[in-house]
Amino acid sequence: MEDDDPNVRPWDELIPDTLGLIFQRLPLDEILNVVPSVCKSWAKAVRGPYCWQEIDIEDWSRYRRPDSLDRILLLLIGRSCGSLRKLCVYGLASEMSLSLIADNAKCLQILRLPGSEISGSMVEQVAVKLSSLTCLDLSYCTKIGAPALEAFGKNCKLLTCLQRNMHPWDVAAIMKDDEAYAISATMPQLKHLELAYLNITTDGAVRILKSCRELELLDIRGCWSVKINEKYLKDRSKLQVVGPLVVDGSGKVKESVDFYPGSSSFWAWGNGIGI
């Protein structure tokens, strides 16, 4: 039975930006391969920028080859037509793709690049183009260090959220206070900071607390060398400090973590399950 209500519009007559908001909730494969075959207006919406202002292919990209990832980023970022506001991708390995992101970042506010293989020197070169960022995730990026964080801090003055969580296996013997110093020196505006399993000391954490007076959350779970007492938290009623102790799923407090390649816990950490 047909609906004769004049206020009800057929799906194919919805304006493109409305269709884009709807299609964003679908899996990537369906947006690219199924939706365009429904009707001309849907195909037009998928080809336009409205579907691609927010691109989240983090889960999809975990199981793709670098060349496949490069091709899909070239396609999707191209379709965004400079209106890209959010990008989430795992395991970025191509400097070409990072340059593509930077060249189309005038509206980019949220950038999640966990597990990236991009070098710190390349990040330093493009940070100036990412000045609109408010939220940045560089978790599990082992090739990025303090100079890259400093470059982001100096160029991204709107940045209020930084995620720099690490896998305990990657930082077991490497002290990262230089990263803490870079954050404290260049990112005083941070409100949300995650440093889980980054191997920093009390000195590094204290410098962050002293410099980042806007902090509302500091996650230092697994930062076993950090000892913060009440004197460092005086007059910081809005600040929540999580860690350095870790509570597992059973409620048991851990004071260290022993991981080795091949264990189920080791691989779970890389998928964001362990933290």
Side-chain angles (χ1 to χ4, degrees):
M1 180 177 178
E2 294 185 0
D3 194 336
D4 296 327
D5 187 345
N7 295 318
V8 177
R9 299 179 60 185
W11 280 85
D12 61 349
E13 293 182 8
L14 291 176
I15 56 178
D17 56 344
T18 302
L19 287 172
L21 291 174
I22 296 171
F23 295 157
Q24 283 179 10
R25 300 179 179 273
L26 298 176
L28 179 64
D29 292 338
E30 290 188 18
I31 300 177
L32 293 177
N33 301 317
V34 178
V35 172
S37 64
V38 174
C39 63
K40 290 182 179 180
S41 63
W42 286 25
K44 182 178 180 181
V46 169
R47 289 193 299 268
Y50 301 106
C51 280
W52 312 113
Q53 293 175 346
E54 297 187 3
I55 300 174
D56 187 346
I57 56 172
E58 187 171 334
D59 290 337
W60 178 91
S61 57
R62 288 178 184 273
Y63 311 105
R64 297 302 189 276
R65 292 167 54 90
D67 55 342
S68 297
L69 184 54
D70 289 342
R71 287 197 297 272
I72 198 68
L73 285 174
L74 181 63
L75 171 66
L76 301 185
I77 293 177
R79 288 187 177 183
S80 73
C81 299
S83 63
L84 184 62
R85 296 195 300 260
K86 176 181 178 181
L87 177 64
C88 307
V89 55
Y90 186 89
L92 190 71
S94 167
E95 294 186 352
M96 177 189 70
S97 288
L98 182 62
S99 294
L100 177 68
I101 294 168
D103 289 341
N104 290 270
K106 64 180 181 179
C107 298
L108 187 61
Q109 298 175 347
I110 300 174
L111 180 61
R112 290 178 48 84
L113 297 176
S116 171
E117 294 294 325
I118 298 298
S119 68
S121 59
M122 183 61 187
V123 170
E124 292 172 54
Q125 294 178 37
V126 302
V128 66
K129 298 181 180 181
L130 299 166
S131 59
S132 296
L133 287 183
T134 61
C135 184
L136 176 65
D137 187 351
L138 296 176
S139 298
Y140 319 117
C141 298
T142 58
K143 296 182 179 180
I144 292 176
L149 292 178
E150 183 177 353
F152 276 117
K154 289 181 176 179
N155 291 286
C156 305
K157 297 303 182 181
L158 301 177
L159 195 65
T160 58
C161 174
L162 175 66
Q163 294 167 278
R164 181 62 174 144
N165 303 312
M166 297 298 289
H167 192 293
W169 182 267
D170 291 329
V171 295
I174 305 174
M175 298 309 295
K176 292 288 185 176
D177 269 343
D178 59 341
E179 295 192 12
Y181 299 156
I183 292 169
S184 65
T186 63
M187 303 180 186
Q189 71 278 13
L190 286 179
K191 294 183 178 181
H192 183 117
L193 178 59
E194 297 181 21
L195 302 176
Y197 292 91
L198 192 68
N199 202 7
I200 63 174
T201 67
T202 300
D203 183 62
V206 169
R207 287 205 192 187
I208 289 173
L209 288 173
K210 289 181 177 180
S211 299
C212 303
R213 301 297 298 178
E214 301 297 319
L215 270 182
E216 297 175 2
L217 174 67
L218 175 61
D219 187 343
I220 50 173
R221 283 176 289 180
C223 299
W224 312 114
S225 298
V226 175
K227 308 295 180 184
I228 296 179
N229 57 39
E230 290 300 321
K231 72 177 182 179
Y232 299 120
L233 303 178
K234 186 178 181 180
D235 301 325
R236 304 293 293 272
S237 59
K238 294 183 179 180
L239 173 62
Q240 178 186 8
V241 178
V242 183
L245 297 180
V246 177
V247 179
D248 64 18
S250 64
K252 181 180 179 181
V253 174
K254 295 185 177 182
E255 295 184 357
S256 64
V257 178
D258 295 321
F259 281 77
Y260 55 90
S263 73
S264 59
S265 296
F266 178 91
W267 295 113
W269 229 275
N271 290 326
I273 297 173
I275 297 176

